[in-house]
Each structure stands twice: as C-alpha cells, then as structure tokens.
C-alpha cells in the first residue's frame, strides 16, 4: 500500500508540471512575444500562445483545487502556502477568463496576466525546492554541502545577476537595445541595493524590465537565503540546525532559536512597511502636477520598495531632483522615513514586536533592552544629528556653486545624512565644495546598521571602534557598554572590518585610476574616483561621475565592488580564509616599540 507521503506527492505532481509549463510560456511571451507591447487588441490577447497559457492556468488551478479539497476531506491541516497558491490560481483564472471572453481587456489586464503567470510558476519552483530538500534530509545517502553561508550567498547573488541580465537583454524588457555591460551593471546595482545606474530606468525599460529590476532590489535587500527559508516555513517545513546557523551567520545574530521568528519578522515588516509607503505615495502623487499618472500604483510600489531597501533607484530621469518632486517635502519625508526604517535592522523590530506581544498577553518583559537595540537607536540618532548639523554648517561656510537658501541647505543636509546608505539625490553633488563631499563620503563609509537594508561598515561597528580606541587610551581592560562587557571577538571583528575595508577602498581607487586615466588626470579626478569607489563598496549610490561615461572594464570592476560590499568585507574574507580552531599552546608574551 502506498504511503501517505507518496499519495501527497502524487497530488503535487500535476501542480508542478503545469506550473513549470506556465512559467515557460509566460517567460517566452514576456520576453519575445508582442503580447506585452502595449496593444489592447482582443486578437492580440487571444494569440495561440496566450490561449495555451490560459488553458494551462485553468488546469493548474483545477489541480490545486482538487489538492485543497482532498486535504479538507482527509482532515489534513491546510497550510497557508496551499491557500495562497489556490487564491493566486483563482485570481489568474479570473483575469484570463476576462480577457478571453471580452468583458475586461486593457493593457493592464495583459500585464497582470503575465505577472500572475510568473507567480503561478513560482509556486511550482517552490514546491520542487521543498520536495528536493525533504528528500535530501530523509535520504540515507544525502550529502550535505560543506560550503560556508558566505559562499552560498555570494554564489546565489551572482547567479541571479546573470539570469536577470539575460532577461533584461530580451526584446520584451527594453524599449531600445542595450549592451551586456549596461544590463549587468544595472542588475548588479539593483541586487546589491546600491543605486548606481548607467541608464535611464524609466525611458530604457518596459514594465517587464522594471519588474525584473524591482525583483532584484527586493531579493537583494531581504537576502535570497532569508526569503528561501521563509518560504520553507510557509510551506510547513521546519529549519534544520545547520540552516538556522547559516542564516544566523548571514544576519549576524546570536542564538539559532530566534532565527524562525527573525525570518518571519524580516518578511512581514518589509512587506508591511513597503505597503504603507506605497499607499502614502499614491495619495501624494495622485493627480499631482508633473507626476506621470500612467501605472501610478506600480510607480508608488517601486519607489516605496527602493526607499525601504535603500536602493536609491527611481523611475525619474533625474532621480529625486526631478522638478515634479524636488520641492515636495511631504514625498521626501515619506522617503526618508522609509529609508530610516530600512536601516534600523530587523533584530530591533523583532525585539520591539516581542515586547509588544508580551505586554498584550500579560507576560513580563525584561527590564533592560538588549545592548544591540540600545546601541543601534542611539548611534543612529547621533549620526543623523551630527551628520545633518555638520553638512549644514559646511554648506554655509564653504564657498560652492550650490547657492540656495539656508532653509533648503538644512533640509538637504538632513536628506543626505538620512540617505547616506540609499543614494537618492535632490541636487547635483558636484556643485558642493570638497569639504562637504569629503564629510558625506565619511558618512557613506559609516552607513546603516547590521541586519538592515543599509550599507557601509555599519554605524554600531564604527562606534565600537571609536570606543575601543578610547578604552586603550584610558588603559581600561574591557570595553564596557550598557552595563555589559563587549566580547573581545566582537571588538576584534569590528576593528578588522574597518582596517580591511579601508585598505580595500584605497587599493580599488588606485585600480580605478588605472582603468580611467582620463578622469584621473583631471584635477579633482582622483577624489571623484575615491568617492565613486566608496559609494560602490558601501552600496550607497551617490556619485560625482556619471556611470554611463565609464569604460566597460571600470563598470565590471565596480560590479565586483558592489557585490563584495553587499556581502560584507569580513564575511567576504571568510570565503577565502577558513577559520582555525584556537591552539592550546601560547607563546611567551613580548612587547614592541610603537612610538
């Protein structure tokens, strides 16, 4: 008699086959067919391939419905994943029925049908991944990969960049032909949430191309492994100890027991804040003078995701310096709140949510907040205050071409400090003086916070380095903070990260000078290249040079920097250097002259 597991998989087999077929047809139509070219002709919607896609969608939804009814009949626990899969299939079937039977047809319907097809195909990929993982776990000959989480994370990012690049090169993704280097640069900038672009995103890419870029931003900010493990939790699978340790290493969090809760917090907070931001932007931009109203909901979602993820990519030709938004402080306020929300770090949100849940359920909360939350909040507020005041004072006393009112200088100083890891610009940064640019470069280097969407070496890490220097000068034995003794391994890792990052930036700036001799020969050229290198490595997006003017070798070199910066310098070094177990032997201590 076949086991229940085999019967259960037998129900999933038609879903997987039809889902994969849906994905293949949808990809072909989106990338090579005229179905997404903007035509609203019914005959276009009823092309042979689209009718085939419609039939496969209906059959896939029917198989999912049978699976759902079977689980109900057998009194099996209905997973949220299966419910979401069924609802998506029913929605897709309704949209396709409307197009085929002519009671709702528009360009939006066509684009929505392709998007829903991708979602249906995505469920098939997720189901296959869950089945393969389950088989590897229970199989007697299962082999476990010895690759470190850093290697897996970096390899996955590179794979996604290559696949996204190939999709961007298809006719359905662009309005005009683009080169491989520009497509690769755009995808790398998106998945590393940097924001450096060599193309006009809105003018160059079709809705499909923009959707590919947006997907890269979202996956890059959340982390593909975090998203994958969240899907497994939604499917109803538990995480193995090795998987918990892997995600704990990537998110730099102690304690594998909190990882499932942290993963759920990452996903729900991300989507929740982005949804709120999109709604606010929609009300602010609806019928606003100068703001394009075509596909306004998508435009709002795009900018909300880009702001929360600190990506710095917009659908305006001149970034946030576009005339229709440059003076709208309400929109800029929403963007700044989203940016700060992304940089705080998900561990802070998890602690806040846990305390709130305990308070509502009558449980007792710890008297003290964690040292991480205590440090993150204070350092973030301190850097925002010092950075804003510093940039404002410099802009007032330093001669520059950026001659505006004091009120606007103060507002833009706050904007640039908040966006030190995002890269949205309200004006041309090259108009400012060298001191202003150097101070902003330092803020970019510091960046956001661990387990967040910001870049840089991270503000708490920078604070630990400063406090460690003070500890040495004062002759103290331990670094104490928040009535806690900070572990030496944490302090040593912070110091190593600063040293390695500084050496890397200096080395890469010299390489950029060799790759761009014409720019380096200019009087301010070396500093411009240094600013660009810091921006790429810290995944900020600010630049004094138009990336479109760079040579192809320089673009590829910056892509490497953006990927390494997203992984993190210390984590990146662990790819090549395997940590050794501490030796039980200790040599005699000696001293060296240092002054």
């Amino acid at each position: 008699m076949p086991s229940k597991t085999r019967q259960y998989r037998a129900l999933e087999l038609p879903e997987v086959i039809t889902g994969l077929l849906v994905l293949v047809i949808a990809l072909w139509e989106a990338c090579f067919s005229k179905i997404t070219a903007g035509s609203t002709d019914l005959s276009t919607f009823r092309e042979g391939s689209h009718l085939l896609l419609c039939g496969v969608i209906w059959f896939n939804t029917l198989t999912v419905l049978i699976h759902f009814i079977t689980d109900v009949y057998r009194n099996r626990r209905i997973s949220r994943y299966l419910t979401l899969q069924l609802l998506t299939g029913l929605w897709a079937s309704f949209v396709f029925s409307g197009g085929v039977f002519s009671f709702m047809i528009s360009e939006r319907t066509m684009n929505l049908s392709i998007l829903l097809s991708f979602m249906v195909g995505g469920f098939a990929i997720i189901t296959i991944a869950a089945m393969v993982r389950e088989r590897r776990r229970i199989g007697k000959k299962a082999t476990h990969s010895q690759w470190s989480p850093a290697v897996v994370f970096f390899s996955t990012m590179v794979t996604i960049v290559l696949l996204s690049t190939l999709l961007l090169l298809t006719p359905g993704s662009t309005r005009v032909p683009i080169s491989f280097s520009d497509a690769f640069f755009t995808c790398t900038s998106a998945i590393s949430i940097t924001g450096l672009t060599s193309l006009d995103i809105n003018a160059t890419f079709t809705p499909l191309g923009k959707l590919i870029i947006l997907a890269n931003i979202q996956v890059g900010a959340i982390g593909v492994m975090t998203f994958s493990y969240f899907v497994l939790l939604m499917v109803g699978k538990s995480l193995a100890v090795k998987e918990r340790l892997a995600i704990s290493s990537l998110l730099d969090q102690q304690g594998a027991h909190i990882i499932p809760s942290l993963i759920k917090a990452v996903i729900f907070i991300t989507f929740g804040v982005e949804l709120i931001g999109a709604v606010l932007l929609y009300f602010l931009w609806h019928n606003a003078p100068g703001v394009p109203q075509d596909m306004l909901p998508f435009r709002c979602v795009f900018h909300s995701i880009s702001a929360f993820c600190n990506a710095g990519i917009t659908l305006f030709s001149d970034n946030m310096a576009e005339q229709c938004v440059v003076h709208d402080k309400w929109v800029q306020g929403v963007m700044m709140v989203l940016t700060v929300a992304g940089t705080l770090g998900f561990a802070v949100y998890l602690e806040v949510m846990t305390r709130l849940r305990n308070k509502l359920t009558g449980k007792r909360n710890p008297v003290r907040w964690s040292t991480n939350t205590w440090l993150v909040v204070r350092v973030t507020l301190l850097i925002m205050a010092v950075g804003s005041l510093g940039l404002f004072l410099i802009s007032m006393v330093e001669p520059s071409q950026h001659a505006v009112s004091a009120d606007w200088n103060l507002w833009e100083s706050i904007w640039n400090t908040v966006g030190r890891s995002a890269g949205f610009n309200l004006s041309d940064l090259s108009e400012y003086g060298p001191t202003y640019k150097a101070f902003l470069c330092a803020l970019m280097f510091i960046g956001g916070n661990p387990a967040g969407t910001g870049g840089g070496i991270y503000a708490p890490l920078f604070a630990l380095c400063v406090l460690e220097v003070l500890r040495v000068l004062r002759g103290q034995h331990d670094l104490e903070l928040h009535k806690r003794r900070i572990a030496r391994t944490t302090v040593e890792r912070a110091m190593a990260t600063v040293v390695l990052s500084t050496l890397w930036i200096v080395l890469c700036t010299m390489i950029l000078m060799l790759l761009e001799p014409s720019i380096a020969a200019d009087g301010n050229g070396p500093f411009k290249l240094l600013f660009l290198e810091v921006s790429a490595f810290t995944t900020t997006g600010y630049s004094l040079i138009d990336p479109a003017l760079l040579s192809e070798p320089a673009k590829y070199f910056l892509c490497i920097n953006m990927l390494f910066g997203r992984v993190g310098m210390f984590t990146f070094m662990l790819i090549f250097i395997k940590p050794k177990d501490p030796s039980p032997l200790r040599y005699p201590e000696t001293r060296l002259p240092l002054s």
Side-chain angles (χ1 to χ4, degrees):
M1 180 178 179
S3 64
K4 293 183 179 180
T5 303
R6 291 183 179 180
Q7 292 178 2
Y8 187 72
R9 289 179 177 175
L11 292 173
E12 292 178 332
L13 186 59
E15 303 170 14
V16 170
I17 295 177
T18 54
L20 290 177
L21 187 58
V22 166
L23 184 61
V24 171
I25 300 175
L27 280 174
W28 183 88
E29 285 203 342
C31 297
F32 300 102
S33 176
K34 297 180 180 179
I35 196 72
T36 57
S39 173
T40 56
D41 186 9
L42 286 176
S43 61
T44 306
F45 193 90
R46 294 172 178 174
E47 282 186 348
S49 60
H50 213 64
L51 284 178
L52 176 61
L53 180 59
C54 175
V56 179
I57 284 283
W58 287 343
F59 187 78
N60 177 268
T61 305
L62 179 61
T63 59
V64 176
L65 180 61
I66 293 174
H67 187 175
F68 185 89
I69 295 174
T70 303
D71 282 0
V72 172
Y73 177 75
R74 294 178 178 177
N75 294 322
R76 298 178 67 100
R77 181 176 176 270
I78 306 299
S79 65
R80 287 170 291 182
Y81 172 78
L82 182 60
T83 303
L84 182 61
Q85 186 180 4
L86 178 61
L87 293 176
T88 304
L90 292 174
W91 187 15
S93 300
F94 174 76
V95 171
F96 274 90
S97 300
V100 171
F101 297 110
S102 311
F103 62 83
M104 51 178 293
I105 181 65
S106 64
E107 179 183 354
R108 183 175 299 178
T109 303
M110 293 183 177
N111 293 330
L112 182 60
S113 65
I114 296 295
L115 176 61
L116 291 173
S117 299
F118 287 155
M119 295 176 64
V120 171
F123 283 119
I125 299 295
I126 292 172
T127 303
I128 293 175
M131 293 172 63
V132 171
R133 173 182 176 275
E134 182 182 0
R135 183 170 182 176
R136 288 185 61 187
R137 288 185 62 182
I138 65 177
K140 295 181 179 180
K141 298 182 179 181
T143 57
H144 298 282
S145 174
Q146 299 300 319
W147 291 351
S148 67
V151 174
V152 176
F153 180 60
F154 184 77
S155 303
T156 306
M157 287 183 63
V158 173
T159 302
I160 294 176
V161 167
L162 292 174
L163 293 176
S164 302
T165 300
L166 295 178
L167 290 176
L168 282 187
L169 291 173
T170 59
S173 299
T174 57
R175 305 182 192 277
V176 293
I178 61 175
S179 64
F180 179 87
S181 60
D182 284 331
F184 187 83
F185 189 86
T186 301
C187 291
T188 305
S189 179
I191 201 169
S192 62
I193 53 177
T194 301
L196 293 173
T197 55
S198 58
L199 301 169
D200 186 336
I201 302 298
N202 188 56
T204 305
F205 297 101
T206 63
L208 174 63
K210 298 171 186 174
L211 184 62
I212 294 172
I213 295 173
L214 186 62
N216 276 272
I217 292 174
Q218 189 72 89
V219 172
I222 296 177
V224 63
M225 292 180 66
T226 305
F227 184 77
S228 301
Y229 291 145
F230 171 76
V231 170
L232 290 175
L233 292 174
M234 291 296 293
V235 173
K237 308 296 182 181
S238 60
L239 297 182
V241 175
K242 185 176 182 179
E243 293 168 337
R244 297 190 184 203
L245 293 176
I247 200 68
S248 175
S249 174
L250 289 177
L251 295 178
D252 198 17
Q253 298 299 314
Q254 300 295 327
H257 64 282
I258 69 168
I259 295 305
S261 299
L262 182 60
I263 291 176
K264 294 177 182 178
V266 168
I267 301 298
F268 288 124
I269 290 172
T270 298
F271 291 161
V273 174
E274 289 171 351
L275 177 61
I276 294 173
V279 172
L280 292 176
L281 289 177
Y282 180 83
F283 284 110
L284 292 172
W285 278 341
H286 184 61
N287 294 327
V291 179
Q293 298 297 302
D294 59 306
M295 298 184 66
L296 182 60
F298 177 77
R299 183 179 297 271
C300 297
V301 170
F302 189 100
H303 287 89
S304 179
I305 293 177
S306 182
F308 181 81
C309 297
N310 281 239
I313 299 177
T314 74
L315 297 182
F316 298 109
S317 300
D318 200 12
N319 207 282
M320 295 303 292
E322 194 83 6
Q323 288 300 316
C324 60
V325 293
V326 69
H327 298 296
D328 193 339
K329 291 186 178 180
W330 285 104
V331 171
Q332 293 162 13
V334 171
M335 298 286 283
M336 283 195 291
V337 171
L338 289 171
T339 302
V340 173
T343 58
L344 279 180
F346 296 107
V348 176
Y349 290 116
L350 177 60
E351 184 171 1
V352 172
M353 292 170 59
T354 302
R355 283 177 167 267
L356 181 60
R357 183 172 61 248
N358 290 341
K359 189 172 184 179
L360 294 176
T361 57
K363 295 182 180 179
R364 185 178 179 182
N365 281 314
V367 178
R368 302 169 60 85
W369 289 78
S370 68
T371 305
N372 175 68
T373 300
W374 183 90
L375 181 62
V376 164
V377 172
R378 280 160 175 75
V379 171
T380 300
L381 294 176
L382 181 62
I383 289 180
M384 289 177 59
V386 174
S388 301
L389 182 60
L391 290 177
F392 172 68
L393 293 177
I394 293 173
S395 65
M396 296 302 295
V397 301
E398 183 181 38
S400 66
Q401 299 176 355
H402 193 72
V404 292
S405 64
D407 292 342
W408 182 256
N409 266 338
L410 178 59
W411 177 258
E412 192 168 358
S413 298
I414 298 174
W415 172 273
N416 288 335
T417 302
V418 171
R420 66 188 180 277
S421 62
F424 297 107
N425 62 286
L426 293 179
S427 61
D428 186 358
L429 293 177
S430 61
E431 296 179 353
Y432 284 101
T435 309
Y436 188 99
K437 300 171 188 173
F439 191 78
L440 181 59
C441 190
L443 292 176
M444 290 160 47
F445 182 75
I446 295 173
N449 297 293
T453 60
I457 62 171
Y458 296 142
L461 185 147
F462 176 77
L464 288 180
C465 292
V466 174
L467 294 174
E468 173 67 5
V469 173
L470 293 177
R471 181 197 67 82
V472 174
L473 295 176
R474 293 171 179 171
Q476 296 175 333
H477 292 287
D478 298 313
L479 178 58
E480 297 176 353
L481 192 65
H482 194 43
K483 295 184 178 180
R484 292 291 186 272
R485 177 169 50 89
I486 307 301
R488 291 308 305 168
T489 54
T490 302
V491 178
E492 291 167 357
R493 177 170 177 174
M495 299 296 291
T497 300
V498 172
V499 172
L500 290 173
S501 299
T502 303
L503 293 177
W504 178 267
I505 289 174
V506 172
L507 175 62
C508 292
T509 301
M510 292 189 292
I511 295 177
L512 280 177
M513 293 171 65
L514 295 175
L515 296 176
E516 296 291 342
S518 59
I519 298 178
D522 185 26
N524 297 323
F527 178 76
K528 291 181 179 179
L529 292 174
L530 172 64
F531 194 95
L532 180 63
E533 167 60 27
V534 173
S535 179
F537 179 73
T538 60
T539 66
T540 299
Y542 283 139
S543 178
L544 304 177
I545 304 173
D546 185 0
L549 303 178
L550 299 175
S551 62
E552 289 197 357
K555 290 180 181 178
Y556 288 123
F557 186 71
L558 286 177
C559 289
I560 296 175
N561 275 272
M562 289 187 283
L563 291 174
F564 288 173
R566 183 53 185 156
V567 174
M569 176 52 65
F570 193 86
T571 304
F572 168 69
M573 294 302 296
L574 293 179
I575 297 178
F576 304 98
I577 302 176
K578 186 177 181 180
K580 296 182 179 179
D581 296 330
S583 173
L585 301 177
R586 299 187 69 185
Y587 292 104
E589 185 181 78
T590 186
R591 296 179 182 273
L592 297 174
L594 299 178
S595 62

